[in-house]
Amino acid sequence: MNDWLRWLFFAGPVRLLVLLVLGLNVRHRERLPAQGPAIIVANHNSHLDTLTLISLMPLSLLPKVRPVAALDYFMKTKLLAWFATRIIGILPIDRQGGGNPLAGPNAALKRGEILVLFPEGSRGEPETLTEFKRGVALLVKENPDVPVIPVFMHGLGKSLPKGTWVIVPFICDIFIGERVAWPGSTKRFMNDLRQAIDGLAAEGHFPPWE
Amino acid sequence: MIVRFAEWAGLATPVVAAVLGVYALLIIASVLAHLLQRRSGGAQAELVSRVRSWWVMVTVFTVAVFIYQPLSAVFLALISYLGLKEYFSMIPTRKIDRVVLLIAYLAVPVQFYFAYRGEFGLFMVFIPVWIFLLLPTAMALHGETSGYIRAVGTVSWGLMMTVFTISHMAFLLFAMGPANPIAGGAGLLFFLVFIAQFNDVAQYTWGKRFGKHKITPTVSPKKTWEGFLGGAITSVVVAGLIGPYLTPMDFVWSGLAGGIIAVAGFLGDITESAVKRDLGVKDAGQLIPGHGGVLDRIDSLTYAAPVFTHFFRYFFT
């Protein structure tokens, strides 16, 4: 990571984008982890999700915050790869290649980093929640003491949905949930996580977007 | 000292004195809020945070609008933009209208540019004629007819309520100055904003103390005749007292203007309440602690700003 450029990027344009162009209503902000290691799990609707989640954390924690992303999507061009790894600071996961895809995230948690994960995998249809992938459960199974914080976000998929680069200002709602503990089995964890995020979604009151 | 500071800042002395008066009121309000908070054993936290937000709002508004003039058009446009964003975020919208909403946002700087230039004709027709003709056309050309009428109506009304109306504050500041030799456009804008906001507080306080007979039980159940009339009469008196020092209006005209601002402010308040009630939301946002969103704070100005501006322009220019 390029620490300086990354700091400038998140302290300047990203703050401006998130606070002025978008605007956030954050509920239960105090539930965000104050230090690593931790795993933030959120629903995924937009490229803005990652930027917004990172900007919720204080800048002093920035060097520790790493969004986990698929290697193949972000390594398509050299520029995108540079931007994703150096500036956004993603922790790339190799979905296709051999080897253990969880090796990177495991090591990062051991280093005390805060991982940002989107278990839906891809952004999908804006503002609809799709099936969660099990990778997150396998990671928590190996690190059962690391706090898992569920987050539900609404509105970013309206501002910047899949398939466009035009941002339209909308205020977005962010609901931070209580820590999801490791219940002893992958299946039960996925169930708990899903329920936590569905519960957060039910706290909100969202206008139709058809 | 006030005179010397006013000269240095390029402001009319009455405006500086009036701003200092507002700070005196804020100090009194803070002391009162803390006393109430102590007497009630901490049950008035909402009031304390509301007064604290007033300090921030008054200071931001004073710095942006009165001290550094080039910023003021941008600042007033920003208020409109934030209000429009709150509105678009709480109403139902169609995916197909993303670009239309973007055009609506882009109307904000254009409208405030016309206000800044004092181009009365364009300022008056840009949104209600040009934009209102353009947006439905753009929507029709996109080809989606389901929900078309609702979309045209809600988007247009939002532009009217948050941009067209609020831009009158900028028009007052930049174009009405020559009609006010004693305190310029800043004096007029101060008069409008102060009376409108003072009236909000006065109607609230009268209603809280003496309120009994509801005016609009289904729209805004806390609004009472006692609050409305008590607040409006207080506003008339205060406007009559300060108007002659800030505007070319004498005691009677100032009092009349105060009454008009009070009634218009009340109507702006209940129209926004109707919008929120229809949508089932309590506040339009969370930007201002103790107040809600920008729209919740400027709702009375959405009516008071155009009504006062046209009243003043008709009789005094």
Side-chain angles (χ1 to χ4, degrees), chain A residues 110-185:
Chain A
K110 297 277 176 317
R111 288 194 298 269
E113 293 181 352
I114 299 170
L115 301 184
V116 177
L117 252 115
F118 301 107
E120 287 173 276
S122 93
R123 287 165 294 156
E125 272 295 296
E127 306 304 336
T128 48
L129 209 52
T130 52
E131 194 67 33
F132 285 3
K133 298 211 163 54
R134 287 169 58 245
V136 57
L138 302 175
L139 184 62
V140 180
K141 189 180 183 179
E142 289 183 38
N143 304 273
D145 296 326
V146 172
V148 177
I149 313 293
V151 174
F152 178 76
M153 299 185 283
H154 173 90
L156 294 165
K158 289 159 78 172
S159 281
L160 184 68
K162 199 173 185 171
T164 175
W165 284 102
V166 180
I167 296 181
V168 177
F170 278 104
I171 297 176
C172 55
D173 294 283
I174 298 178
F175 302 82
I176 321 283
E178 310 229 38
R179 180 180 172 176
V180 178
W182 173 248
S185 90

Side-chain angles (χ1 to χ4, degrees), chain B residues 163-245:
Chain B
V163 185
F164 181 74
T165 58
I166 294 299
S167 68
H168 282 71
M169 290 166 65
F171 186 79
L172 209 52
L173 180 64
F174 290 106
M176 293 282 102
N180 185 18
I182 56 170
L188 292 169
L189 182 61
F190 180 91
F191 179 79
L192 163 70
V193 174
F194 178 74
I195 296 299
Q197 302 295 332
F198 176 83
N199 179 64
D200 279 0
V201 177
Q203 293 198 353
Y204 173 82
T205 312
W206 278 88
K208 194 123 189 153
R209 189 76 186 75
F210 302 104
K212 212 168 171 182
H213 300 90
K214 292 179 171 147
I215 302 182
T216 53
T218 54
V219 179
S220 197
K222 281 186 183 161
K223 296 269 182 297
T224 58
W225 281 107
E226 292 79 3
F228 169 62
L229 291 173
I233 291 166
T234 315
S235 300
V236 167
V237 173
V238 171
L241 291 177
I242 67 168
Y245 298 98

Side-chain angles (χ1 to χ4, degrees), chain A residues 19-27 125-126 157-161 164-171 205 207-210, chain B residues 78 81-82 85-99 101-102 105 150 279-281 284-287:
Chain A
L19 296 178
L20 191 68
V21 177
L22 302 174
L24 305 181
N25 282 338
V26 185
R27 227 133 344 140
E125 272 295 296
K158 289 159 78 172
S159 281
L160 184 68
T164 175
W165 284 102
V166 180
I167 296 181
V168 177
F170 278 104
I171 297 176
H205 173 99
W209 167 253
E210 285 134 10
Chain B
L78 187 67
Y81 162 73
L82 292 175
K85 193 172 67 178
E86 285 176 356
Y87 176 79
F88 282 160
S89 301
M90 65 182 180
I91 62 164
T93 39
R94 306 186 304 168
K95 279 177 193 164
I96 190 112
D97 290 334
R98 270 173 44 85
V99 175
L101 297 183
L102 198 61
Y105 280 119
R150 188 195 68 186
L279 296 167
V281 299
Q286 296 180 357
L287 198 64

Side-chain angles (χ1 to χ4, degrees), chain B residues 24-34 47 51 55:
Chain B
L25 282 180
L26 281 179
I27 291 171
I28 296 170
S30 288
V31 171
L32 277 178
H34 277 100
L47 180 70
V51 173
W55 277 93

Side-chain angles (χ1 to χ4, degrees), chain A:
Chain A
M1 284 189 291
N2 187 325
D3 289 342
W4 266 102
L5 269 181
R6 187 172 188 240
W7 190 90
L8 279 179
F9 179 66
F10 279 99
V14 172
R15 294 264 137 149
L16 209 66
L17 173 78
V18 168
L19 296 178
L20 191 68
V21 177
L22 302 174
L24 305 181
N25 282 338
V26 185
R27 227 133 344 140
H28 317 301
R29 189 187 273 270
E30 72 286 349
R31 292 175 181 168
L32 282 170
Q35 61 191 39
I39 304 173
I40 295 174
V41 180
N43 59 325
H44 201 15
N45 289 315
S46 166
H47 279 311
L48 297 172
D49 292 340
T50 315
L51 298 180
T52 306
L53 278 172
I54 294 178
S55 79
L56 286 179
M57 309 296 287
L59 281 169
S60 56
L61 275 179
L62 185 62
K64 285 191 174 289
V65 183
R66 307 289 305 271
V68 178
L71 183 71
D72 41 299
Y73 182 88
F74 288 99
M75 300 297 145
K76 271 184 268 184
T77 70
K78 265 208 169 129
L79 184 70
L80 189 62
W82 174 83
F83 185 73
T85 54
R86 301 282 150 173
I87 305 298
I88 305 290
I90 66 161
L91 195 70
I93 299 271
D94 192 352
R95 288 194 280 204
Q96 282 115 19
N100 179 8
L102 293 179
N106 263 327
L109 289 175
K110 297 277 176 317
R111 288 194 298 269
E113 293 181 352
I114 299 170
L115 301 184
V116 177
L117 252 115
F118 301 107
E120 287 173 276
S122 93
R123 287 165 294 156
E125 272 295 296
E127 306 304 336
T128 48
L129 209 52
T130 52
E131 194 67 33
F132 285 3
K133 298 211 163 54
R134 287 169 58 245
V136 57
L138 302 175
L139 184 62
V140 180
K141 189 180 183 179
E142 289 183 38
N143 304 273
D145 296 326
V146 172
V148 177
I149 313 293
V151 174
F152 178 76
M153 299 185 283
H154 173 90
L156 294 165
K158 289 159 78 172
S159 281
L160 184 68
K162 199 173 185 171
T164 175
W165 284 102
V166 180
I167 296 181
V168 177
F170 278 104
I171 297 176
C172 55
D173 294 283
I174 298 178
F175 302 82
I176 321 283
E178 310 229 38
R179 180 180 172 176
V180 178
W182 173 248
S185 90
T186 313
K187 200 174 163 201
R188 271 165 60 203
F189 176 80
M190 291 314 293
N191 211 9
D192 291 355
L193 184 65
R194 181 73 206 214
Q195 268 186 1
I197 291 188
D198 284 345
L200 291 171
E203 275 188 43
H205 173 99
F206 309 118
W209 167 253
E210 285 134 10

